[in-house]
Amino acid sequence: MIKLDLRKVLQDYVSLIEDFKSQFSPDINEFEQKSSRNRSGNIGEFKYHFHGAGCRLEKEGIVCEFDFMPTNEYPIKFSIWKMSEFILTNKAYGIDKLEESELHEALHPLVEDRTLVKLVFGGVVWEIYQI
């Protein structure tokens, strides 16, 4: 079982994304426009690359992948793999191996208490988490 405070991990994950977004463009509409034009580059301590609805951030060796799809009130979306990458590249967590099934099981209580919400699109519940 994962010995990690996933609420703290989520807080760190969202903080990193919000820090990038505020440096890239604090206005959400401008952010969307800029992200479609400036597909990759560096800003501050961030290296970034937009790909489709996704974005890959790197800062101090930490990899943060997320999907930015403002299709509902949860603009930040991620898969198990994306969260796993964030955890494994963040030395502060001290984890060098992580089974996706373990992470899925550890995230389940956060879905139950509505900290996270799974994406429902086209009547299908996807294995995509939203926050």
Side-chain angles (χ1 to χ4, degrees), residues 26-65:
D27 176 78
I28 192 68
N29 293 324
E30 185 180 334
F31 177 82
E32 290 177 25
Q33 291 172 0
K34 279 178 123 178
S35 66
S36 67
R37 290 190 312 263
N38 302 321
R39 301 304 290 167
S40 59
N42 296 297
I43 188 164
E45 296 178 52
F46 289 97
K47 183 176 176 182
Y48 67 90
H49 176 73
F50 288 99
H51 48 88
C55 183
R56 176 186 176 93
L57 303 177
E58 291 183 46
K59 180 181 179 184
E60 299 172 356
I62 299 170
V63 174
C64 181
E65 291 257 4

Side-chain angles (χ1 to χ4, degrees), residues 4 6 16 18 35 43 48 52-54 67 75 78-79 84 86 94-95 98 116 120 126-127 130:
L4 194 60
L6 285 177
L16 192 74
E18 293 299 329
S35 66
I43 188 164
Y48 67 90
D67 291 325
F78 64 90
S79 65
S84 179
F86 179 74
I95 295 179
L98 182 60
L116 291 174
V120 178
W126 297 85
E127 285 299 313
Q130 306 174 106

Side-chain angles (χ1 to χ4, degrees), residues 63-78:
V63 174
C64 181
E65 291 257 4
F66 69 99
D67 291 325
F68 181 75
M69 297 171 39
T71 57
N72 57 29
E73 66 271 26
Y74 306 103
I76 297 172
K77 297 168 180 27
F78 64 90

